[in-house]
Amino acid sequence: QVQLVESGGGLVQAGGSLRLSCAASGRTFSSYAMGWFRQAPGKEREFVAHISWSGSSTYYTDSVKGRFTISRDNAKNTLYLQMNSLKPEDTAVYYCAACSAIVVVTAPIAYDYWGQGTQVTVSS
């Protein structure tokens, strides 16, 4: 079992930045690849970014490439998402999730554990 708790969401103007954190507890954090997802009102949950268990490999959805950076600190059991140049269309609840697969997976169903989410609102 892995418990995940997101933080760092909030209200920001377009063009601004936020840094999300995801604190993990329970089973060994470094054993899992991690992902960030987001869900806007009335829309399905969508993949944002993935990072391997070691942090050496990352993968992003096209809409956030060059603006978002996923990273992790296994010593602190924490996952991060640095979000720059935010746009109103980035507004959503952001979730972190843990995955035991060794390949990059973008489907939510492939992830084993989820946090409760943190709201990010970008005003125009």
Side-chain angles (χ1 to χ4, degrees):
Q1 190 81 5
V2 176
Q3 291 80 41
L4 303 171
V5 179
E6 301 95 337
S7 61
L11 173 64
V12 63
Q13 289 187 332
S17 299
L18 281 175
R19 188 194 197 199
L20 305 184
S21 298
C22 172
S25 60
R27 298 185 70 178
T28 307
F29 174 69
S30 59
S31 298
Y32 292 89
M34 298 295 296
W36 284 100
F37 290 77
R38 64 187 180 186
Q39 188 166 18
K43 295 188 177 181
E44 293 187 351
R45 191 167 299 188
E46 67 168 344
F47 169 81
V48 175
H50 175 279
I51 189 166
S52 62
W53 65 270
S54 67
S56 62
S57 176
T58 58
Y59 181 79
Y60 300 90
T61 192
D62 286 346
S63 62
V64 308
K65 283 181 181 176
R67 299 189 298 122
F68 290 12
T69 302
I70 188 172
S71 62
R72 66 190 296 164
D73 186 337
N74 287 342
K76 295 182 178 180
N77 287 351
T78 304
L79 173 74
Y80 303 99
L81 184 68
Q82 178 66 44
M83 305 186 295
N84 298 328
S85 302
L86 282 162
K87 304 175 180 180
E89 51 262 43
D90 294 318
T91 295
V93 177
Y94 283 70
Y95 300 89
C96 64
C99 178
S100 57
I102 60 173
V103 296
V104 176
V105 287
T106 61
I109 195 171
Y111 286 73
D112 305 298
Y113 303 103
W114 291 84
Q116 84 290 347
T118 185
Q119 176 70 47
V120 171
T121 303
V122 184
S123 63
S124 57

